[in-house]
Amino acid sequence: MKNIVTRTITGVCFVALLIGCILWGKQAFAVLFTVLTALSLAEFYGLVDNAGGHPAFRHLPHIAGGAYLFAAFYYYCSGEAAPIVRFLFVPYILYLLYTFAAQLYARQPDPIRNWAYALLGQLYIALPFALLNFIAFPGLYTIYMPSLLLAFFVFIWTNDTGAFLVGVTLGRHRLFERVSPKKSWEGFFGGLFFCGIVAGLLAIVEPALSWLQWVGLGVTVSVSATFGDLCESLLKRTVGVKDSGSSLPGHGGWLDRFDSVLFAAPAAYVYLQLFG
């Protein structure tokens, strides 16, 4: 009972912070998600250390590099750095060059492993977070649309809740038992169904997309969010942990809260570019 109360309080505070910063304005959105990118990267690099990364493998440059990537995408999409836009990604390129060259001086027994861990964090975590900027600033990039970004997260939360409720009550057929024994096909289609309902409601209150476009986005987020959840489960199973961390009481770590986003953000970006 105590765990349920803790989980509920943490969840409400977390959702309130997320929604509040998105609605507050684009600067608040940028600050929050730059911090979340850094925290998620720190957690990831801690996990891969447990999987055999060398103790001397330094995380700070990679955390800073990923956070900078999000900030660079923000300034590019928002138009706030228009006079210097061609220089925006120069520091990140220099970071990548540093990542490779640093291993020449580190004298580590397995530099390939260190390169792989460093770049995996950028590809798996930093880039998906950075792509949220294209959802927040769709179309003509300088226009901030918090409603579309909020809809993206509402789809993820709806999918998680629908999959859980239907899976608990009707789940019989395992979706991917080797990676996540509790997930079921019934739960998967339950999340998909509820996302379809939410898409229909959004089409009524938000005309930014047509009814068909909203449904397509809901399906895209629902399916990709499930893959994101499974991939993070595979990561945790590989390194031998139950939760990615303990930063969020009752919920685990940052990656446990954003596992769906890491797959859904790139998928939603592709969908919006093609059909949005």
Side-chain angles (χ1 to χ4, degrees):
M1 183 64 182
K2 182 180 179 181
N3 185 57
I4 294 176
V5 174
T6 302
R7 183 179 177 86
T8 301
I9 294 174
T10 302
V12 169
C13 292
F14 176 76
V15 170
L17 175 65
L18 208 66
I19 294 176
C21 286
I22 291 174
L23 292 179
W24 192 357
K26 57 185 181 180
Q27 288 86 3
F29 153 74
V31 170
L32 175 65
F33 279 90
T34 300
V35 172
L36 290 175
T37 301
L39 292 173
S40 299
L41 282 167
E43 194 171 84
F44 170 80
Y45 289 124
L47 286 176
V48 296
D49 261 357
N50 292 335
H54 197 281
F57 182 52
R58 301 185 183 278
H59 306 320
L60 189 57
H62 310 300
I63 296 170
Y68 181 85
L69 183 65
F70 180 90
F73 269 66
Y74 166 76
Y75 281 111
Y76 172 79
C77 292
S78 67
E80 292 187 18
I84 58 167
V85 68
R86 62 179 177 161
F87 302 113
L88 266 180
F89 295 97
V90 170
Y92 191 75
I93 299 300
L94 293 175
Y95 151 72
L96 293 177
L97 295 175
Y98 157 81
T99 297
F100 282 94
Q103 290 303 310
L104 293 172
Y105 303 93
R107 299 175 186 248
Q108 299 294 323
D110 193 352
I112 295 178
R113 181 192 292 271
N114 290 341
W115 284 332
Y117 283 161
L119 298 180
L120 178 59
Q122 302 302 304
L123 182 63
Y124 176 52
I125 295 170
L127 181 59
F129 270 110
L131 288 175
L132 288 174
N133 286 288
F134 286 99
I135 302 174
F137 298 91
L140 297 174
Y141 292 149
T142 56
I143 300 174
Y144 179 57
M145 285 189 62
S147 59
L148 191 57
L149 187 61
L150 278 178
F152 169 80
F153 281 104
V154 168
F155 279 135
I156 288 179
W157 298 331
T158 300
N159 182 69
D160 288 346
T161 304
F164 174 76
L165 294 176
V166 176
V168 167
T169 55
L170 302 176
R172 296 293 183 273
H173 304 86
R174 298 303 98 185
L175 176 64
F176 219 111
E177 191 168 8
R178 178 174 64 87
V179 174
S180 186
K182 294 183 179 180
K183 292 191 181 300
S184 66
W185 279 104
E186 291 84 357
F188 169 76
F189 285 112
L192 198 62
F193 172 76
F194 283 106
C195 279
I197 294 177
V198 169
L201 296 174
L202 285 171
I204 297 173
V205 300
E206 177 52 73
L209 300 177
S210 69
W211 176 84
L212 189 59
Q213 288 173 319
W214 275 121
V215 171
L217 181 60
V219 169
T220 300
V221 172
S222 177
V223 174
S224 57
T226 302
F227 276 103
D229 196 331
L230 289 170
C231 286
E232 200 244 354
S233 294
L234 180 60
L235 170 66
K236 292 189 294 185
R237 187 171 288 271
T238 301
V239 300
V241 297
K242 182 179 182 294
D243 296 319
S244 64
S246 57
S247 302
L248 298 169
H251 287 264
W254 299 106
L255 293 181
D256 291 321
R257 291 303 90 211
F258 287 101
D259 52 1
S260 300
V261 173
L262 300 180
F263 221 97
Y269 163 74
V270 172
Y271 174 84
L272 290 171
Q273 294 304 307
L274 295 177
F275 308 109

